[in-house]
Amino acid sequence: MSVNKCIFIGNMGRDAEVRTTEAGIKVAQFSIACTERAYTNKAGQTIPERTEWIPVVAWRGLAETIEKYTHKGSKLYIEGRFTTRKYETNDGQKRTVSEIVAESIEMLDPKRDVPDRKSTRLNSSHIPLSRMPSSA
């Protein structure tokens, strides 16, 4: 058995690039910044803050939601799977890209910052999921 599941919380570094494939399917590409805070280790050495930029791809309904309700700086919770794809550039160079294919996205910004948003959590089939009640 194997598991390919990634979970990230971060802020969008720029507005998503959204396009429609020849088959009419929307796809959004963007990256989120996940920052590890600075700290001092046991030896007294200060370890500086470090930011990792995570490339994300969202398809279909998730791409539409990203396009409509997010922007540079939006805070997102993303669940997805790690993938690697290869392609060749127009000048014949071979490239390899690693990215997260989003399966579920939760918008963490307050609703007042995103007008007309009806749901905060969506999955890859674009079915809104209600928030679970918090347990006391």
Side-chain angles (χ1 to χ4, degrees):
M1 181 170 92
S2 63
V3 176
N4 182 355
K5 182 163 190 151
C6 302
I7 299 173
F8 299 97
I9 294 177
N11 295 80
M12 291 178 68
R14 57 181 162 75
D15 291 348
E17 294 177 17
V18 181
R19 64 181 175 84
T20 303
T21 67
E22 291 177 6
I25 299 169
K26 278 211 174 182
V27 58
Q29 293 181 294
F30 58 96
S31 58
I32 62 169
C34 296
T35 302
E36 188 176 326
R37 294 180 187 227
Y39 65 95
T40 303
N41 64 18
K42 291 180 183 179
Q45 179 184 18
T46 300
I47 308 301
E49 177 178 276
R50 188 173 106 179
T51 301
E52 295 291 338
W53 288 93
I54 312 299
V56 181
V57 176
W59 291 88
R60 297 178 175 81
L62 285 179
E64 291 173 16
T65 299
I66 289 296
E67 179 179 40
K68 188 171 181 181
Y69 298 114
T70 67
H71 53 81
K72 178 181 178 177
S74 292
K75 186 175 217 74
L76 302 175
Y77 169 94
I78 297 174
E79 289 183 19
R81 66 184 190 282
F82 178 82
T83 61
T84 302
R85 61 184 170 85
K86 296 179 181 189
Y87 68 96
E88 192 171 311
T89 63
N90 291 338
D91 59 354
Q93 294 185 5
K94 295 183 182 198
R95 303 264 194 237
T96 301
V97 177
S98 296
E99 57 201 3
I100 303 304
V101 175
E103 296 173 345
S104 175
I105 296 175
E106 184 169 348
M107 293 171 266
L108 300 178
D109 292 321
K111 283 188 180 182
R112 66 183 170 347
D113 292 348
V114 186
D116 300 329
R117 190 174 79 207
K118 293 182 175 36
S119 175
T120 58
R121 184 169 182 157
L122 300 167
N123 64 21
S124 59
S125 59
H126 197 105
I127 300 171
L129 303 174
S130 61
R131 288 188 181 265
M132 297 296 291
S134 58
S135 56

